Amino acid sequence: APGDPARVAVLPGCSAPLPVGGRCPRAAECYGEVTEAGGVPDAPPVPCGRRHTWEVYALGELPAGAGAADLPGIDAHRGVRRLCNEGTFRVVSWRLDDGWTFTVLPPRPAALADGDRAYRCLAGRGTDALVGPTLAR
C-alpha cells in the first residue's frame, strides 16, 4: 500500500554484487528479538513501522546438503560468514555509524521442509532500538 513503511525503496547499495550468491531483500524486513528454540535461532517478523530489534540487509541460500540438523550452527558456515558480516552490511546499507550488531536468522524448520532455504543476515542496535525501516532509503 502507498505510504506503508515496509514498502519503501530497498537498501541503497543493493546494486553492488553481494558475495556467495547473496541478494538484497525486495522490501524492508524487520524482526523482533532472536530467541532459540531447540538451539535454532528464531525471531518473529514485525511491521517495520513499529519498534523492532533487527532488519534484514542480505539473504542467502543454505549451502547444498544443509538440513534442519545444521540450523543451530549455520552462522559458522564459511559461506554464511562471507555474506553475513559488517563489510556486506556497510556495502548495502551505506551506514558508517558504529553500534551495529549482526546475527544470522536461518529458515524455520517447517519452511526448510517446504523447500525455503533462505537465511537472513540481520543488523540491529539493541532490543527494539529501531523505528521505521532504518536501513532502506
Side-chain angles (χ1 to χ4, degrees), residues 36-91:
E36 288 197 8
V40 178
D42 193 18
V46 297
C48 290
R50 69 174 229 211
R51 289 198 167 277
H52 54 279
T53 303
W54 300 102
E55 289 190 23
V56 176
Y57 63 93
L59 292 92
E61 295 292 317
L62 287 178
D70 300 304
L71 295 181
I74 202 65
D75 59 340
H77 187 276
R78 186 175 65 190
V80 174
R81 285 193 325 257
R82 274 194 239 146
L83 179 61
C84 296
N85 61 60
E86 186 174 351
T88 301
F89 168 77
R90 300 235 185 258
V91 166

